[in-house]
Amino acid sequence: MSKCEQCIVRQFSSLKALNKEELINLSSCKTLYTIKKGEPVFSEGENLQGIFCIKDGVCKMTKLSANGNEQIVKLISKGELLGQRSLISEEPVNLSAVALDDMQVCFIPKAEVIKFFNENNQFSMNVMRTICGDLKNADDHLVTMAQKSVKQRLAEVLLYLHDTFGINEEDKSLNVKLSREELAGMIGTATESCIRLLSEFNKSGLITLSGKKIIISDIDKLRKM
């Protein structure tokens, strides 16, 4: 099992504030899990007994609406932590986390996290900054859903996938491959509308569709939209 002090991904999260002794303690109490594509890391309403650090892979954070539709709130990739807000507020998680591809995650028990929070001021500040950043993003998302057209929201999501997760060097397709249902869930529209808009973008030369793969053909035009 890899040691936390030698792990590169910890530099991308609140864990970067931990000193060598704390990292050694962390290594002795963490558990490494492999989560297969499509499996949940945790489910909405669950009481977490710790937090998860993503070592590799991408997961979607989702919420079920009253009519049973899945709304994708955000995507989380390696280096980020899951469950911080729930742990601090002592509330069940309000989102589900589901693997979009095979993932490796480290589970850190609640007692250890609270100990870091109480004893390491920089760690607790990093956690609070992350939670504040999530709140800001939630506000921005609310404004986007209210003020932008579905077409603009689709363009924004495609650019987000391109800028955040990059492209496959071989065929230039987006690295993160979402189903049409998942894309529709991210932009808050019906699957049929999403399929129709993707076809429209394809005909306009903004993107190229190849099965499930999406290649952005004219990124400047997409940004202007």
Side-chain angles (χ1 to χ4, degrees):
M1 186 182 288
S2 62
K3 295 178 180 178
C4 295
E5 60 267 34
Q6 296 169 350
C7 182
I8 294 169
V9 298
R10 69 179 171 80
Q11 294 296 337
F12 306 125
S13 72
S14 306
L15 298 174
K16 66 187 173 190
L18 301 184
N19 60 40
K20 188 173 181 180
E21 186 182 340
E22 288 169 327
L23 288 169
I24 290 169
N25 291 338
L26 180 58
S27 280
S28 66
C29 72
K30 73 174 173 68
T31 309
L32 179 64
Y33 292 103
T34 297
I35 313 283
K36 293 291 183 185
K37 180 180 178 179
E39 290 181 353
V41 181
F42 52 75
S43 300
E44 188 178 339
E46 199 175 316
N47 286 297
L48 297 186
Q49 297 305 310
I51 61 174
F52 296 88
C53 177
I54 301 181
K55 189 173 172 64
D56 198 24
V58 180
C59 71
K60 57 181 179 179
M61 305 299 292
T62 68
K63 192 161 186 68
L64 278 180
S65 62
N67 59 7
N69 288 333
E70 183 186 80
Q71 173 79 47
I72 297 182
V73 177
K74 58 183 173 180
L75 303 179
I76 304 288
S77 59
K78 68 179 181 180
E80 297 188 65
L81 301 180
L82 297 173
Q84 294 176 98
R85 188 204 63 81
S86 165
L87 200 71
I88 301 304
S89 65
E90 297 187 327
E91 295 173 340
V93 285
N94 69 330
L95 300 172
S96 296
V98 180
L100 278 175
D101 52 18
D102 290 352
M103 297 178 69
Q104 282 195 311
V105 299
C106 291
F107 177 76
I108 306 164
K110 181 177 182 177
E112 201 67 24
V113 180
I114 297 300
K115 186 181 176 188
F116 295 150
F117 199 84
N118 290 333
E119 296 177 5
N120 186 320
N121 185 54
Q122 191 56 56
F123 173 78
S124 55
M125 283 299 294
N126 286 350
V127 171
M128 297 315 293
R129 283 195 188 103
T130 301
I131 294 171
C132 288
D134 287 344
L135 281 171
K136 179 182 179 294
N137 291 338
D139 289 342
D140 291 345
H141 182 68
L142 196 65
V143 171
T144 294
M145 294 296 276
Q147 296 184 355
K148 292 184 180 176
S149 68
V150 181
K151 190 179 285 188
Q152 287 173 314
R153 297 202 302 263
L154 177 58
E156 195 166 69
V157 165
L158 292 175
L159 288 167
Y160 161 70
L161 294 174
H162 176 276
D163 296 345
T164 307
F165 302 101
I167 58 171
N168 185 312
E169 286 305 318
E170 287 182 16
D171 59 13
K172 305 302 178 188
S173 65
L174 296 174
N175 269 332
V176 172
K177 291 168 182 60
L178 298 175
S179 69
R180 302 305 187 243
E181 290 82 6
E182 287 168 333
L183 263 180
M186 282 198 82
I187 63 177
T189 191
T191 304
E192 295 76 16
S193 299
C194 181
I195 292 170
R196 191 167 58 249
L197 278 175
L198 285 170
S199 178
E200 192 180 307
F201 280 18
N202 187 42
K203 285 175 185 172
S204 303
L206 294 169
I207 63 172
T208 302
L209 299 175
S210 175
K212 276 191 176 182
K213 294 178 180 179
I214 298 175
I215 300 159
I216 295 181
S217 310
D218 194 334
I219 198 161
D220 293 331
K221 207 170 175 182
L222 206 59
R223 289 195 198 282
K224 283 176 186 174
M225 186 181 289

